[in-house]
Amino acid sequence: MRLALFNKGRLGLVDGEDLVDVTDLLAPSTTTPSGALHQYIELVDRDGARQFDLSGRARVPLAQAVLEAPLPRPGKIVGAPVNYLDHKAEMQYSTSIADLGVFLKANSSVIGPGQDIVLPYSDKRTDQEGELGVVIGRTASRVRAEDALDYVFGYTCVLDITVRSGEDRSTRKSFDTFTPVGPWVVTADEIPDPDALELRCDVAGKTRQRANTADLIFGVRQLIAYTSSVMALHPGDVIATGTPAGVGPLAHGDRVVVDIEQVGRLEVGVDGSQAIPYEQRPGR
């Protein structure tokens, strides 16, 4: 299944060129900031997947729907730094994820399809980083790599936006709007091997990043095993698996597109109209 949030928090199942509204079937009636899909993931963890009939249900053409971040406020977002060798080389890093471990991004940084990345600084480079996102479906603590995919609910596209300044990664990557997610979550049964997916990221109509998740230093299984050895992962948590070579600066008016085989296509804009000089940031 491909599950999306649309039109002010409705939960939809993508069926061809339509969204079938399944909000009342799959999500509790009480709305929460985490969203209806997050609630459904928790429900599946507790009670198992539901069988349902789509006949007669309301449909909305995808082209007319306003898609939103499928997980507007995940419990946590875990990032994987330097998880492709070609990115390690382009950034001239001496270390990789094997040395650095993982980091956390603020869940308030999430935006959805069609929204804008807001550049904070006029004189500091802010880069795009296209990544495969892993959505956790069951509580995972100290799981083995060979069992790791049993804990995955699904996959999505993620942009890990990054300011190239001197602060810690969790600061440079946690500005509001710095984690576009979407356009939907594809359930794990549709992707037998997440370590064999083509990924492309375009900025302003030009391809900057092209890779295959087979080139990850820590593949999805190993990444879940490592992360769960540090912190428990819970239903609805998102792991951004790392970015390949080709990161580069964003500018006002750019369109950024991440396209991942079998997963989907996420497109967002870039707004630099509010950017300020770095030396004018609070605390200076």
Side-chain angles (χ1 to χ4, degrees), residues 5 9 30-39 69-75 107 110:
L5 290 192
T30 303
T31 59
T32 68
S34 61
L37 178 53
H38 196 147
Q39 291 179 293
L71 295 164
R73 194 176 296 178
N107 62 3
V110 171

Side-chain angles (χ1 to χ4, degrees), residues 10-11 24 30 40 45 48 61 66 69 71-72 77 108 125 134 143 151 204 212 232 238 249 260 274 277:
R10 304 298 295 176
L11 180 59
D24 61 324
T30 303
Y40 175 61
D45 178 47
V66 178
L71 295 164
I77 305 165
S108 53
R125 174 174 150 177
V134 178
V143 305
Y151 294 82
N212 192 292
V238 175
I260 303 177
Q274 303 174 51

Side-chain angles (χ1 to χ4, degrees), residues 192-250:
D193 187 2
D195 291 328
L197 303 176
E198 292 291 327
L199 178 153
R200 191 183 81 246
C201 185
D202 297 349
V203 178
K206 295 183 179 180
T207 298
R208 285 190 180 174
Q209 297 180 282
R210 188 183 292 273
N212 192 292
T213 55
D215 299 324
L216 286 163
I217 296 172
F218 279 12
V220 171
R221 296 167 180 81
Q222 188 177 4
L223 185 54
I224 293 171
Y226 173 79
T227 304
S228 72
S229 76
V230 176
M231 63 190 82
L233 298 168
H234 297 291
D237 286 351
V238 175
I239 300 176
T241 56
T243 201
V247 303
L250 299 174

Side-chain angles (χ1 to χ4, degrees), residues 40-94:
Y40 175 61
I41 295 170
E42 292 179 330
L43 184 69
V44 171
D45 178 47
R46 185 175 65 247
D47 300 333
R50 292 186 176 184
Q51 300 296 319
F52 49 90
D53 183 2
L54 298 182
S55 59
R57 304 202 63 78
R59 288 174 173 262
V60 177
L62 265 172
Q64 297 176 18
V66 178
L67 292 177
E68 302 162 6
L71 295 164
R73 194 176 296 178
K76 56 181 171 287
I77 305 165
V78 181
V82 199
N83 200 20
Y84 284 85
L85 287 175
D86 60 357
H87 180 54
K88 177 181 177 181
E90 79 168 339
M91 301 302 290
Q92 299 181 3
Y93 288 131
S94 60

